[in-house]
Amino acid sequence: MHPEAITEHPGNCPKCGMKLVPLKGKKRRTYNAQHSTSNIAPHPETHLSHMSQPSDATHHGEMEMSMHSSIDLADPMSREGSGTSWIPDSSPMYGRMFMFGEDMLMLHGAIFPRYTNVSTRRGDDRIDAPNWFMAMFSHPFGESTQFGSRLMMSLDPLTEGGRGYPLLFQTGESWNGKALHDRQHPHDLFDELSFSLSQKFEHDLSGYIYFGYPGEPALGPPAFMHRPSAMDDPDAPIGHHWQDSTHITFGVGTLGAQWRNLKLEGSIFTGREPDEDRYDFDRPRFDSYSGRLSWNPTRNLALQVSYGYIKSPEELHPETKIHRTTASAIYNLPLGHDTNWSNSFVWGQNNATEEGKTQSFLIESNYQRGRDTVYLRWERVQKSGHELVLDEADESKIFPVSGYTLGYVRDLSHGTGIDIGLGTQYTINDRPDTLDRYYGDDLGYAFEFFLRIRPSLHSHGSHDRAEQVADRLVEAADQR
């Protein structure tokens, strides 16, 4: 992780505690981490800090430095999304890492203190602070086996209350025995408590088992707060319950197999959404199932398709069953030092009892350059009158609703351990005229002003710059 940490003897890196390994050979070394340059020329037997044991490439004169995913030690950590999902390998990671010998602990999180104002008869305004915090831990058992665990929590029950925050056309879950509408429900205090065990069988083949209570089954794209394209947007997508709403599920078991950059996984899980008590652990049922195929053809692209059968997701309507199908493409492009562009396309379809098939589409983009970030989101979702909690005469009708969001964040503190950004965003919502009797004749819109507080970028990033640093070290060694 720190190629400037150079010694003449074996030992541990004085900066992060990682084991030092000898630098040998004359061929190009490859690193999956970003490093600062050093003007100190290493001896041919110099020891460098590294994140893992040498890969099979070492036998060909190469040595790889990589941070392993806590789910599957065959994956780089930068590929790790929510649950067992994938994001592109080149994705930025915002977090703090701690090494305890060969054990790794990574801390993530974000909080958005803000004022938000939503128009129309069903709108509202308030001061709140959506938030989440996450810890990932991994412990290797030799070179081919790894134990991982993750804990994700949210103080939404305190900052958002039982009704959640205003979000036009958002639906899903309940409060005081009534279905929520035009509000985003709060997340539970415990959003993930999971354990995994992964095994490398050979260079290109690996597998893992994952259990979460709560956890996330192999269904849908990475949850919105874990997508690089959505990390600066305080709001959930209005298509959340068509795409990635199962990210908090009380009882999940997943088995996955990976060959190179292709992964197939299946899950059994609890179909019921979290109940209104946001502080407890709901009863596991394991009455639903899903399967997902993921493929990362390049460092910058992550693709997935998935299908799931969700039994009785709604506590108020236990007879409902949903067949959900999703597909997504996430493209991330590092554009140089401290500059990144991330994009996502997500499609989700629910085939629900009585309502039939309804579609959702989402496009997100996030461009970050130094202290400045611009992001956008476009959504279109088909929602029933039942979902929107309309009068009985309109319950069975399907209404296409849309949202168009543009936002900007300027970091006041940047790259100093904690990034504090001052942001604003504006959303315009579109609806058919037939909904005017519920929402009024005025334009649907929302605006907010917020702080975005999170850990600074973890220095795993630029692959190209890391290779340049490695080449300089090797050339210096060769000259000696």
Side-chain angles (χ1 to χ4, degrees):
M1 188 64 192
H2 300 98
E4 70 272 22
I6 300 171
T7 70
E8 298 291 336
H9 306 286
N12 295 326
C13 172
K15 294 188 176 183
C16 62
M18 294 177 293
K19 184 179 179 182
L20 300 173
V21 295
L23 174 63
K24 296 181 180 180
K26 298 183 179 182
K27 291 190 178 182
R28 189 181 201 180
R29 274 74 168 170
T30 310
Y31 297 78
N32 270 342
Q34 177 179 336
H35 315 279
S36 59
T37 58
S38 173
N39 294 323
I40 303 175
H43 186 274
E45 294 295 327
T46 292
H47 294 77
L48 298 179
S49 66
H50 80 313
M51 276 297 195
S52 66
Q53 296 297 326
S55 69
D56 291 348
T58 306
H59 299 299
H60 302 285
E62 296 186 353
M63 182 169 293
E64 179 180 350
M65 177 190 293
S66 64
M67 296 176 288
H68 296 310
S69 162
S70 63
I71 299 296
D72 189 340
L73 82 169
D75 295 339
M77 182 185 292
S78 58
R79 184 182 293 182
E80 188 170 352
S82 62
T84 60
S85 65
W86 280 354
I87 57 178
D89 296 12
S90 63
S91 299
M93 288 195 305
Y94 292 87
R96 296 292 301 274
M97 186 188 71
F98 303 89
M99 297 298 299
F100 306 95
E102 293 185 338
D103 296 341
M104 182 278 298
L105 175 66
M106 177 69 82
L107 302 180
H108 305 269
I111 182 171
F112 293 86
R114 67 176 180 174
Y115 169 76
T116 182
N117 187 302
V118 179
S119 73
T120 79
R121 295 174 186 167
R122 290 186 160 200
D124 194 5
D125 71 308
R126 66 176 299 174
I127 295 174
D128 65 351
N131 61 88
W132 61 275
F133 310 93
M134 187 172 187
M136 303 188 308
F137 174 81
S138 63
H139 172 76
F141 293 103
E143 297 184 7
S144 58
T145 307
Q146 176 183 275
F147 168 80
S149 64
R150 297 200 298 196
L151 171 67
M152 182 172 174
M153 302 181 68
S154 173
L155 298 179
D156 275 4
L158 296 176
T159 64
E160 306 305 316
R163 293 182 65 205
Y165 59 80
L167 184 60
L168 212 58
F169 303 136
Q170 183 65 299
T171 56
E173 304 195 15
S174 64
W175 175 242
N176 286 337
K178 297 181 179 180
L180 287 171
H181 63 85
D182 301 285
R183 304 189 77 87
Q184 167 62 35
H185 64 76
H187 291 109
D188 282 40
L189 176 64
F190 291 96
D191 300 325
E192 183 176 14
L193 179 58
S194 66
F195 305 93
S196 59
L197 185 67
S198 61
Q199 175 74 41
K200 287 182 68 174
F201 299 105
E202 54 183 61
H203 177 58
D204 290 330
L205 183 64
S206 65
Y208 66 88
I209 54 174
Y210 165 95
F211 176 80
Y213 181 60
E216 179 179 331
L219 178 60
F224 62 92
M225 70 279 289
H226 296 282
R227 293 196 295 265
S229 57
M231 65 175 62
D232 291 286
D233 190 334
D235 287 339
I238 60 174
H240 180 48
H241 285 259
W242 275 250
Q243 300 162 1
D244 54 0
S245 64
T246 53
H247 70 109
I248 303 175
T249 298
F250 283 92
V252 179
T254 300
L255 180 65
Q258 177 181 337
W259 179 71
R260 295 185 178 178
N261 292 320
L262 191 68
K263 177 173 66 171
L264 180 63
E265 51 191 339
S267 299
I268 56 172
F269 62 96
T270 299
R272 178 63 55 86
E273 296 170 342
D275 61 24
E276 295 182 12
D277 186 347
R278 303 294 176 177
Y279 295 94
D280 69 347
F281 287 80
D282 299 354
R283 178 172 68 90
R285 303 168 187 257
F286 295 101
D287 53 7
S288 305
Y289 57 86
S290 66
R292 180 168 58 198
L293 180 66
S294 303
W295 182 36
N296 280 25
T298 71
R299 296 184 63 250
N300 296 335
L301 184 61
L303 308 172
Q304 71 85 27
V305 292
S306 56
Y307 165 81
Y309 166 73
I310 307 173
K311 182 179 179 180
S312 188
E314 299 181 21
E315 185 174 9
L316 300 182
H317 300 277
E319 73 282 357
T320 298
K321 302 175 180 60
I322 293 177
H323 296 265
R324 179 171 298 165
T325 309
T326 80
S328 64
I330 302 177
Y331 179 73
N332 187 80
L333 183 64
L335 294 171
H337 176 63
D338 203 14
T339 303
N340 192 78
W341 184 35
S342 183
N343 305 272
S344 295
F345 167 78
V346 181
W347 167 77
Q349 174 186 272
N350 279 348
N351 187 355
T353 306
E354 297 180 355
E355 292 182 5
K357 295 180 180 179
T358 50
Q359 316 287 333
S360 71
F361 301 89
L362 173 145
I363 294 175
E364 293 171 336
S365 187
N366 181 294
Y367 176 76
Q368 174 264 326
R369 182 175 181 179
R371 292 177 178 265
D372 299 297
T373 300
V374 177
Y375 62 89
L376 61 86
R377 175 185 286 162
W378 170 82
E379 294 187 82
R380 184 174 178 84
V381 188
Q382 295 176 327
K383 297 203 173 188
S384 68
H386 166 75
E387 281 279 341
L388 294 169
V389 192
L390 305 183
D391 293 342
E392 184 176 354
D394 292 325
E395 276 193 348
S396 61
K397 298 178 182 178
I398 303 298
F399 301 90
V401 294
S402 302
Y404 312 85
T405 297
L406 180 65
Y408 170 75
V409 181
R410 169 70 178 181
D411 277 358
L412 308 177
S413 170
H414 184 76
T416 58
I418 296 293
D419 289 352
I420 302 176
L422 178 63
T424 184
Q425 76 174 35
Y426 188 80
T427 301
I428 294 176
N429 295 102
D430 188 30
R431 64 182 185 270
D433 294 340
T434 49
L435 289 178
D436 286 353
R437 58 178 297 207
Y438 301 99
Y439 290 87
D441 298 328
D442 296 335
L443 175 71
Y445 67 85
F447 65 87
E448 56 190 83
F449 302 96
F450 60 88
L451 290 175
R452 188 260 293 122
I453 305 171
R454 70 183 179 202
S456 296
L457 180 69
H458 183 67
S459 58
H460 82 99
S462 173
H463 181 79
D464 294 335
R465 184 182 174 199
E467 286 193 344
Q468 293 172 5
V469 173
D471 289 342
R472 287 182 59 183
L473 293 173
V474 174
E475 290 172 1
D478 291 343
Q479 291 173 2
R480 297 187 58 166

